[in-house]
Amino acid sequence: MPAVDTAIIKTLGAFQVCVGLTACHRAGIPSRSVDANGSFLYNMFLVTGNVDKSTGKPNPTSVYHLRRLWALGADLGHTNSTAAFLLGASTLADPLSCLISALSSGYGIMHFGAAEASLKSLVAIGGKENVPNLIAKVKRRQAKLFGYGHRIFKTVDPRILFGAQIMNELGSDHPLLQVAMELDRIASEDEYFVSRKLQANSDLYIGVVYTALHFEPSIVPVMIMLMRSGGLMAHWREAMGQPANIWRPQQFYTGEVSGSPADSYDAVASEWKTARAVGNLNNLRTPSASDNMEKIISVDATAGPSEAREDAQTETTNISKPGPTVAAISVAQPDSEEGELSIWHSTLSEIKDLTRLMSLL
């Protein structure tokens, strides 16, 4: 699959450059080109301007710790953003377009944005002496605790142990690390969190790690997506090696249906087959739709455009039909010579029949 592999390399390179340009623009510093002899992570520091001021090159220690951090989350299976990515991939979209879908999905505070939100909340706490006050507010449902609780991990998030280790090696005296550790200590001993099986997750520390590596908080969600990009490309490569099969989520109608669905479907199917055989589709409208259309279109043709519009709107309002109305669209052409007015008034029953007809095409 040489073409697929080439597309993956180009996509990863383009994404890295875009992240670098964005970071440099926000920091107000000149953008820099990649080093052809440097690794992907080395160039990540380089293009974002995150370099040692004395050497103008990325700090080897920072590159080492970022490699360890990215090993914790290169791929986590079918997450929300991965599903969004593969949803686009199922249409045979190019990998960069699929990556944009994943990035849009992951940017929310319920996904990658949680790390940024957690980091900002740690900054807002100020110091570890203020942690008990935040915990009390969370228990009163007056505040939200980011970086705590996870849909999958109901015990200790296995990633958090390594994240805390990396943070300690970077500098255990980091003020935000002290706040995060105090928050984790108090919450892990509080019955409110223990009874609900709420444990700290990697978002509690990952934002702090990026801060210690001198990345701005606003770029953290993008960095997490960049961390996941290799795993996403592996998913895309696997998808391209399989027969094309577009993803289309199933939908189930849960509203009320009058009459027997089976009888109604058989009647509609028979009507459609007959109309298709004779080449006449004029009789396919349901009785309720036909009656309403004739009632609306029979507006006095001699009336002026404004009068016709008012009468038609009145007729539309007064139409009585079984079932709730889900759409009412009116299109008026007051400037036309005939002063025609065409209004389509749809109900759930009509949409149901239309859907069944479409399934037979």
Side-chain angles (χ1 to χ4, degrees):
M1 303 170 67
V4 171
D5 292 337
T6 299
I8 290 175
I9 295 174
K10 289 184 176 180
T11 299
L12 292 175
F15 187 29
Q16 183 186 65
V17 171
C18 287
V19 173
L21 291 173
T22 302
C24 290
H25 175 73
R26 288 184 174 184
I29 59 177
S31 59
R32 303 185 62 169
S33 300
V34 298
D35 183 350
N37 297 318
S39 67
F40 187 83
L41 291 179
Y42 178 92
N43 280 307
M44 189 66 259
F45 281 92
L46 191 63
V47 298
T48 55
N50 193 341
V51 296
D52 190 322
K53 294 182 179 179
S54 60
T55 63
K57 298 180 179 181
N59 187 322
T61 302
S62 297
V63 176
Y64 166 73
H65 286 303
L66 186 63
R67 180 182 294 110
R68 295 177 62 198
L69 181 64
W70 279 23
L72 298 178
D75 180 62
L76 289 179
H78 277 202
T79 63
N80 183 282
S81 54
T82 306
F85 178 93
L86 291 174
L87 190 65
S90 71
T91 68
L92 299 184
D94 63 272
L96 188 57
S97 298
C98 298
L99 196 59
I100 292 172
S101 298
L103 183 60
S104 300
S105 172
Y107 207 74
I109 60 173
M110 296 294 287
H111 204 356
F112 298 158
E116 179 187 7
S118 176
L119 179 59
K120 289 182 177 179
S121 67
L122 293 177
V123 174
I125 292 174
K128 64 179 184 179
E129 66 277 3
N130 299 324
V131 171
N133 185 41
L134 173 64
I135 294 295
K137 288 183 177 180
V138 171
K139 294 166 65 175
R140 295 195 301 266
R141 298 184 181 277
Q142 295 177 346
K144 184 173 178 61
L145 185 60
F146 290 98
Y148 232 81
H150 198 280
R151 290 187 61 186
I152 304 299
F153 305 120
K154 298 304 180 182
T155 57
V156 176
D157 185 338
R159 299 169 296 173
I160 200 173
L161 302 177
F162 298 98
Q165 182 183 27
I166 294 173
M167 193 62 243
N168 280 324
E169 294 178 7
L170 284 172
S172 58
D173 58 344
H174 195 288
L176 293 182
L177 176 61
Q178 298 301 318
V179 175
M181 293 179 65
E182 181 67 6
L183 192 154
D184 189 16
R185 184 189 68 80
I186 295 178
S188 63
E189 299 174 354
D190 194 296
E191 182 61 23
Y192 178 88
F193 298 95
V194 174
S195 62
R196 290 168 172 78
K197 296 183 179 181
L198 298 176
Q199 298 280 347
N201 61 51
S202 64
D203 294 327
L204 184 63
Y205 287 95
I206 194 170
V208 181
V209 173
Y210 276 110
T211 300
L213 293 174
H214 308 293
F215 287 101
E216 292 295 324
S218 60
I219 207 72
V220 170
V222 181
M223 292 296 296
I224 297 176
M225 174 55 75
L226 197 59
M227 172 183 67
R228 297 275 182 91
S229 60
L232 290 173
M233 290 301 108
H235 282 285
W236 186 76
R237 191 178 193 278
E238 180 182 25
M240 293 303 102
Q242 299 174 351
N245 186 16
I246 188 171
W247 286 20
R248 184 172 183 177
Q250 290 184 328
Q251 302 178 66
F252 299 93
Y253 176 69
T254 59
E256 296 181 359
V257 179
S258 58
S260 171
D263 294 342
S264 178
Y265 179 82
D266 291 341
V268 172
S270 177
E271 184 181 356
W272 165 251
K273 291 178 180 178
T274 302
R276 183 172 57 181
V278 300
N280 184 6
L281 304 181
N282 294 329
N283 297 325
L284 282 179
R285 292 181 300 176
T286 61
S288 58
S290 301
D291 295 342
N292 291 334
M293 287 295 291
E294 292 175 0
K295 188 174 183 180
I296 295 171
I297 296 176
S298 63
V299 176
D300 186 3
T302 62
S306 59
E307 296 175 359
R309 187 184 303 111
E310 293 176 359
D311 292 342
Q313 290 175 349
T314 302
E315 293 292 343
T316 304
T317 305
N318 293 333
I319 290 175
S320 176
K321 301 173 62 178
T325 300
V326 298
I329 306 175
S330 61
V331 180
Q333 295 176 324
D335 297 330
S336 62
E337 295 181 358
E338 295 80 9
E340 294 181 351
L341 180 66
S342 176
I343 299 177
W344 184 259
H345 192 81
S346 300
T347 63
L348 282 176
S349 60
E350 292 164 2
I351 291 178
K352 174 188 64 180
D353 292 341
L354 180 59
T355 303
R356 289 170 177 163
L357 288 177
M358 293 298 293
S359 67
L360 297 173
L361 291 176

